[in-house]
Each structure stands twice: as structure tokens, then as C-alpha cells.
Amino acid sequence: MTQAHIVYASMTGNNEEIADIVTDALEDLGVSVAVDEISQADADDFADSDICIIATYTYGDGELPDEALDFYDDLQEENLSGKIYGVCGSGDTFYDDSFGKSVDDFAAAFEKTGATKGAENVKVDLEAEESDIEHLETFAKSLVAKAQAN
């Protein structure tokens, strides 16, 4: 059975909800899913998973969440060759130039691990609405398809 691990950072609950939406979509596709809040996770937790997912928020003018800084640094040191990754998360479109920047930063960190991108990044403006849920479900399907083809 395909194994996925979702690690999320959430200040307002929006990314916990995003992680739940992706979890439900993956489970509907027959994937076994583990979920951890980022301050309770280690980057090497991804070693036992086929699909590695980060759901993060972007703080202020494009900063990573404080609670994600150590995880972010450690992630770049991991060897995740053969793994599929995806990154999603929330931001605020009020910050035009930095909307969802942490999503892009985590995707760049995954690139350094040797993992393969399994889906396009998904950025949600604050709270997930119906169209965002559809994008997140498509995100999950793409990750599973890439993992099964891998």
C-alpha cells in the first residue's frame, strides 16, 4: 500500500484544514496517511513514506513560520531520492509579491533532497473554499498517480 506523510504548520487552523482535505482525498484513493504538526515532526520522518507533503502558511511578507524553521533546514539535508513530494498551503493575497512564498520555499527545499515533484504547488488564499478543495483533491490525485508510476 502506498504510504503518505503530511506535515503541516498552522497558526489559524487553515493549514490543519488543508492537511485534512488532502488526507481525505489520499485515503479515498487507497493511500495510508500519517499526519503531524510540524513542531512535532522530524524531516527524517519522510524516510518511510512514498509521498511526502508539506502544508505550510506564509507569515507576513514571505517568511517561513517560526515553528517550521528547524524542519526546513533539516529537510534540505535529507536524501529522499525515489520519493514523491508535494507542497500546499495558505497565504494572504494582500501580500501580492510574497503570496504563498513558504510553499515555494519548501518546494525548493524538497528539490535539494532528490525527491520528485508529484504535483503543482497549491496556494490557498486564507481559508479553503470549494474551488480550493477541488485543487487540493487534484493535487492528491497527481501525487498518487506519480507515486504509482514511480
Side-chain angles (χ1 to χ4, degrees):
M1 175 180 273
T2 303
Q3 304 284 322
H5 196 138
I6 301 173
V7 175
Y8 71 90
S10 190
M11 182 188 300
T12 61
N14 290 342
N15 281 291
E16 185 174 7
E17 179 187 3
I18 287 169
D20 289 343
I21 292 165
V22 174
T23 297
D24 290 345
L26 290 169
E27 288 175 343
D28 287 348
L29 295 166
V31 175
S32 174
V33 183
V35 181
D36 287 304
E37 200 280 324
I38 203 159
S39 66
Q40 305 299 312
D42 293 311
D44 63 2
D45 292 344
F46 284 140
D48 296 328
S49 300
D50 304 301
I51 301 171
C52 310
I53 301 167
I54 297 283
T56 185
Y57 65 92
T58 299
Y59 189 75
D61 287 319
E63 292 89 31
L64 289 167
D66 285 343
E67 67 272 23
L69 294 174
D70 289 340
F71 190 96
Y72 175 80
D73 290 340
D74 293 345
L75 177 62
Q76 295 175 74
E77 303 299 319
E78 292 295 312
N79 178 355
L80 298 177
S81 298
K83 311 285 184 193
I84 303 302
Y85 78 86
V87 187
C88 55
S90 65
D92 188 340
T93 54
F94 174 80
Y95 300 95
D96 292 333
D97 295 337
S98 61
F99 171 65
K101 185 177 178 301
S102 291
V103 171
D104 298 332
D105 291 344
F106 266 106
F110 268 123
E111 286 293 322
K112 294 178 180 178
T113 69
T116 301
K117 186 175 187 173
E120 291 302 313
N121 298 343
V122 176
K123 298 177 184 178
V124 174
D125 185 18
L126 301 175
E127 189 174 345
E129 296 181 6
E130 192 59 41
S131 63
D132 299 310
I133 293 169
E134 291 171 13
H135 289 130
L136 291 165
E137 289 170 345
T138 300
F139 170 83
K141 289 176 187 171
S142 296
L143 293 169
V144 172
K146 190 76 167 186
Q148 290 173 343
N150 200 16

